[in-house]
Amino acid sequence: KKWIFHTCGAAGPEGPTPTQCSSSYRNSNVNVTVGTRGPFKGIQMWRVPETGTYRITVYGAAGGRSVLAMSRSHGVYIMGDFLLEKGELLYILVGQQGEDACPNANGVLNKICIEQSGPFLNKTQVKGGGGGGGGATVVFKVEQHVYIPLIIAAGGGGRGYSSQSDSQLELMDYDPGQPGRNGKSNAAGGGGGWNDSAPVSQGGRPLVLGGQGGQPCHKFWQTRGGFGGGGGGCMSGAGGGGYRGGNTSVDNPKHDGEDGSSFISPEGESYLFPLKGMEGHGEVIISPVLNCSHCESDDCHETADDGTVCYCEDELILAADGVTCINATVVDPLLPQPSLSHLALGLSVGTSALIAALLLAVSGVMITQIGLLEEERKDIMCTSMQHEDPPGTSEEERKDIMCTSMQHEDPP
């Protein structure tokens, strides 16, 4: 069993509406309330069904493409295990992808995209054209009006107009005492952090203030930041949202915006460290953690009838006790083994059968040989007596008479 939360079809700097999520989750097991005002606008609220340990997987959104950089700076994904109480309310902000400069639905802009990526030498000088920053995906709690982050997956930075930057390394924070600040804005907006003051219009808003994406420096391109604190693009790329928002450079078209940083609370236990890999919008998956403490490997999976089966690592197999992992070449001591008496009986029966078969074969050969000797003797005797018959006896009569009479005269 698992619950999957997504953007409900929303895109750009604003989160989804209750109507969008009601329609999107209609045929699923997800039941959420969506905020409509203030810092909870676009936030999905979900109640924990049962007390237990849950694995929460969060995917940050990717940054936007620029005019010349067609690949994205991927969002980060991270997993952690948390003990949650029945009825506890989780607040879920699903990050949205930073907007692309190219390709563009606007015909005029798309013509520029094609011209800029072509081999022509005389290219139009275009202001803006860097990608918007991707929004962070956040799961948090609110206790006595205090926001408590559980897990945050960073959004990717937007690509610079003519970016030549290498892929960025994942950034990770563990200490909630470290301030979750906004990224530094220049012409392009920095990414929104966890808890900071409102930024300039290009900057992504901090997550506790709603997490809306920033506006582009030029309305011409509309490369806005994604919901979840993504910054708005300019010539350079915008910063991604995160626990700490991504910084931007002075408006250098070759520079991407920085990714945000990811975070896991001390309340949780890391199951998978951050990895860049999300190509589009963010996502959240929540699933109960199975109790596998009875397994030697401490790992198991659920069966169709809601039971569990212990899991063994490569080159090991599950023993007959259903708990222990053993080498595939080692005999399981719990499996029934043949006793020595059974082995001796098997050998005895096998040997006897072999001897009997050999005796039958020899007997058959001897009987065949005796039969051949008898025929040879009859032929020899009949031939030798042909010259002693009285005259007038036909050839056939003589052979029949002599052969018959000689049957009683053979020496013993």
Side-chain angles (χ1 to χ4, degrees), residues 92 163 169 207 253 264 270 287 297 313 318 380 395:
I92 300 170
S163 171
L169 297 176
L207 305 178
I264 187 166
S270 292
S287 58
S297 62
E313 295 181 355
L318 193 62
I380 293 169
E395 184 69 19

Side-chain angles (χ1 to χ4, degrees), residues 14 16 18 34-43 45 147 208-210 212:
E14 300 287 341
V34 181
T36 58
R37 64 184 67 177
F40 296 119
K41 185 179 179 182
I43 304 293
M45 290 163 271
Y147 290 47
V208 298
L209 294 183
Q212 285 77 27

Side-chain angles (χ1 to χ4, degrees), residues 25 33-34 50 83 90 93 100 118 131 175 177 203 238 264 275 287 304 337 362 373 384 388:
Y25 294 135
T33 301
V34 181
E50 298 291 340
L83 178 61
L90 295 187
L93 187 162
D100 298 333
D175 182 7
I264 187 166
L275 292 172
S287 58
Q337 304 295 327
V362 172
L373 290 172
S384 64
E388 300 176 7

